[in-house]
Amino acid sequence: MLSSTRRLLPSASSLTSNNCNIVSRATSMMFSRGMTILSSESKEEFKKENYNARMAKTRRPVSPHVTIYSFPICALASITTRVTGCALSFGAAGLGALELIGGNGTALSLMSDIGNSGLILSSGAKFAVAFPIVYHYFGGLRHLVWDNAPEMLTNVDVEKTSYGLIGASVLVSGVALVV
């Protein structure tokens, strides 16, 4: 907008002092915005009303609550990547703490006991370990591709890769159950 304004303005040498004042006022009006000043009385009244009452008065819709808001798949994929990263960190810290507290081989003995405890428990434990590793790894690969090919970062492509990320992670983690 500034470049189009510059083209419309005459050159600086041809401006008179009157024209300079008009141009500077027009330019300052383009780049400034008005402010709402609340009096102390209206400020106190504003504090007394709750959000829902103010929105009802202005007939604006109330923002949806997180429990009823339907997150897009892209947001869910991003949140899951972060959660799996935290889970991996806590899992690694837990295994390290177990080795420090219980001595050498304690973590190995725990994993061996879980593996020998039955098909249902051992399969669930394998999936609980495999899914965060696979999902976080695939999510990292997806971001690596986006960093190197930013033209793939469109809304449609991000949604497709989010579904692919979830599907591939579940599939590869499911294969880990039989290995």
Side-chain angles (χ1 to χ4, degrees), residues 124-147:
K126 281 183 181 181
F127 189 82
V129 170
F131 182 77
I133 292 170
V134 170
Y135 189 90
H136 201 74
Y137 181 75
F138 285 170
L141 289 178
R142 179 172 77 154
H143 275 277
L144 185 64
V145 169
W146 286 345
D147 289 343

Side-chain angles (χ1 to χ4, degrees), residues 32-178:
S32 67
R33 63 175 198 171
M35 291 177 45
T36 303
I37 301 173
L38 294 176
S39 68
S40 59
E41 296 161 356
S42 61
K43 181 180 174 183
E44 293 302 320
E45 184 180 326
F46 183 79
K47 282 184 177 179
K48 289 178 186 175
E49 290 185 29
N50 69 10
Y51 178 76
N52 291 339
R54 286 195 312 268
M55 292 300 108
K57 195 184 288 185
T58 60
R59 294 187 179 166
R60 293 183 193 151
V62 177
S63 299
H65 192 267
V66 172
T67 58
I68 63 168
Y69 179 71
S70 176
F71 284 104
I73 189 67
C74 310
L76 293 174
S78 176
I79 292 167
T80 306
T81 302
R82 295 161 198 268
V83 168
T84 55
C86 290
L88 291 171
S89 296
F90 283 116
L95 281 177
L98 188 64
E99 281 291 311
L100 287 173
I101 293 170
N104 193 15
T106 307
L108 178 62
S109 128
L110 175 68
M111 287 185 243
S112 178
D113 290 343
I114 291 173
N116 295 329
S117 63
L119 182 65
I120 294 173
L121 185 61
S122 65
S123 296
K126 281 183 181 181
F127 189 82
V129 170
F131 182 77
I133 292 170
V134 170
Y135 189 90
H136 201 74
Y137 181 75
F138 285 170
L141 289 178
R142 179 172 77 154
H143 275 277
L144 185 64
V145 169
W146 286 345
D147 289 343
N148 292 318
E151 64 274 2
M152 294 181 64
L153 197 56
T154 64
N155 288 342
V156 174
D157 289 338
V158 170
E159 187 173 344
K160 286 179 186 177
T161 59
S162 295
Y163 282 115
L165 173 63
I166 294 168
S169 299
V170 169
L171 182 70
V172 172
S173 300
V175 169
L177 293 178
V178 296

